Amino acid sequence: MKAVRVHDYHADPKIDDIDEPRLQGPLDVIVKIGGAGVCRTDLHILEGQWAAAMNPQLPYVIGHENAGWVHAVGDGVTNVAVGDTVILHPQPSCGLCLACRRGNDMHCANAFFPGLSDNDGGMAEYLRTTARACVKLDPATNPADVAALADAGITAYHAVRKAVPVLWPGTTAVVQGAGGLGHIGIQCLAALTATRIVVVDRNPAALELAREIGADETVVADGSHVDAVKDLTGGEGATVVFDFVAEQGAENDAWQMVAPDGHQYVIGYGGQFSAPTLDFVAGEKNVIGNIVGTFTDLAELMVLAQAGKVTLHTKQYPLDAALDALHDLDAGRVRGRAILVP
């Protein structure tokens, strides 16, 4: 099969011909990929940012946002069958450790992470995962239309879902960054809360999309955006700021936009957050990290998606054009999410 593989960091990946994955255990599932999302994390992988944390053996296949059709199943699989349309939780989990039993499967002690850890991902024709990672979809679903919900979607949904208890009517939520994750977060906020949604981004096209999908107010990130958010909130700041950027100073802008007793949800990464400890104490502000989401987050998100309340704005590329997709994402030329279709 054809697959996009990292051979060296700080270099473009290559499209190689490799063997198809095989079943290795009774709960394994082989999926024929119908769509693989191209994520900013894939750019960070190529930069070597994940090398020490995940220590994958090169070369390996990237791609952690995947959907498709069940191609083969192990002897112990009962929840899906060959031919089923599925979206895949990005981190297959064991179901037996304490984290899994608490419903915190993204913190599974025995998980692996295809496309990120030392396991081949889904920028290929086929992928090996497990039964626990498979969420069955309506057979009419086109996997390419939903693939990016497997990571970008549940990451955004997970953050919003955690913040729902404090986003009652009359509150304000700021979404900083309306790109691949942020445009999903906007729709999740509109679907789950009655908060006022303010979107901050430096790209006018991203702000135009934000208005189309649920933003009440938009602010251009031109250096005066912190003051603009303060003006929109009577000088107080936002109840919650969802920072989908978290680099190049945005992470500290987000802190300045949070109201006293407010919450800063850090979803993007790459920057360095810094704040005086007195601001934490005097303002009683909270900073909360987010990583992926649970299996139930993905299942709930797919209910919203199949009801038309969350839709992905995508640009599709054939698998052979994977380098074009990665370069376009890096250059900011993708509106919404880039999807590879084998």
Side-chain angles (χ1 to χ4, degrees):
M1 68 174 183
K2 291 189 179 298
V4 181
R5 294 204 299 174
V6 179
H7 287 257
D8 298 290
Y9 297 121
H10 307 289
D12 282 341
K14 297 178 181 178
I15 300 174
D16 297 330
D17 287 310
I18 64 172
D19 291 339
E20 293 178 10
R22 296 181 179 181
L23 297 169
Q24 297 180 19
L27 296 179
D28 276 1
V29 176
I30 304 296
V31 174
K32 178 177 172 59
I33 296 296
V38 182
C39 178
R40 188 156 293 277
T41 292
D42 295 312
L43 299 179
H44 293 155
I45 289 170
L46 296 174
E47 294 166 358
Q49 291 191 30
W50 284 90
M54 293 296 188
N55 195 31
Q57 182 177 343
L58 301 181
Y60 82 114
V61 183
I62 55 174
H64 54 279
E65 297 179 337
N66 305 302
W69 303 274
V70 175
H71 179 70
V73 299
D75 293 340
V77 176
T78 59
N79 60 321
V80 293
V82 172
D84 284 347
T85 307
V86 292
I87 188 168
L88 306 178
H89 190 283
Q91 182 174 272
S93 52
C94 72
L96 299 174
C97 69
L98 285 175
C100 283
R101 291 181 183 277
R102 289 171 178 148
N104 253 343
D105 41 329
M106 70 282 197
H107 295 298
C108 170
N110 303 299
F112 63 99
F113 209 129
L116 210 66
S117 61
D118 198 14
N119 305 89
D120 284 341
M123 289 190 190
E125 296 177 68
Y126 296 92
L127 167 72
R128 182 183 72 88
T129 184
T130 72
R132 278 183 59 84
C134 296
V135 176
K136 206 162 148 182
L137 301 177
D138 185 316
T141 305
N142 179 357
D145 292 339
V146 299
L149 294 177
D151 181 44
I154 57 169
T155 300
Y157 181 85
H158 182 61
V160 171
R161 187 76 173 77
K162 289 197 294 186
V164 164
V166 299
L167 290 176
W168 50 79
T171 60
T172 298
V174 167
V175 173
Q176 183 166 243
L181 274 76
H183 89 284
I184 301 168
I186 294 164
Q187 295 173 82
C188 292
L189 281 165
L192 298 181
T193 77
T195 193
R196 179 173 61 154
I197 304 168
V198 178
V199 179
V200 178
D201 199 290
R202 61 187 180 188
N203 186 339
L207 294 177
E208 180 184 350
L209 173 61
R211 287 189 288 272
E212 293 172 5
I213 59 178
D216 298 299
E217 306 279 355
T218 58
V219 174
V220 178
D222 59 1
S224 64
H225 47 284
V226 173
D227 289 337
V229 168
K230 291 287 186 68
D231 289 344
L232 287 170
T233 55
E236 285 293 302
T239 311
V240 178
V241 175
F242 298 94
D243 186 5
F244 290 97
V245 182
E247 61 181 343
Q248 299 178 16
E251 63 276 21
N252 295 308
D253 291 344
W255 175 257
Q256 297 299 323
M257 290 188 275
V258 176
D261 198 30
H263 310 267
Q264 178 177 344
Y265 282 78
V266 183
I267 304 113
Y269 65 92
Q272 183 74 39
F273 174 73
S274 176
T277 51
L278 180 58
D279 285 0
F280 282 92
V281 175
E284 287 196 321
K285 293 183 180 183
N286 305 282
V287 178
I288 303 158
N290 296 269
I291 181 69
V292 195
T294 66
F295 181 92
T296 52
D297 285 333
L298 182 56
E300 290 171 9
L301 176 61
M302 295 315 300
V303 173
L304 292 180
Q306 296 192 328
K309 294 183 178 181
V310 174
T311 59
L312 276 170
H313 294 255
T314 63
K315 181 177 181 180
Q316 294 188 11
Y317 299 77
L319 186 63
D320 287 341
L323 297 187
D324 294 334
L326 288 162
H327 293 161
D328 286 351
L329 175 63
D330 194 27
R333 292 190 289 264
V334 177
R335 188 185 187 211
R337 208 69 173 168
I339 306 293
L340 297 184
V341 181

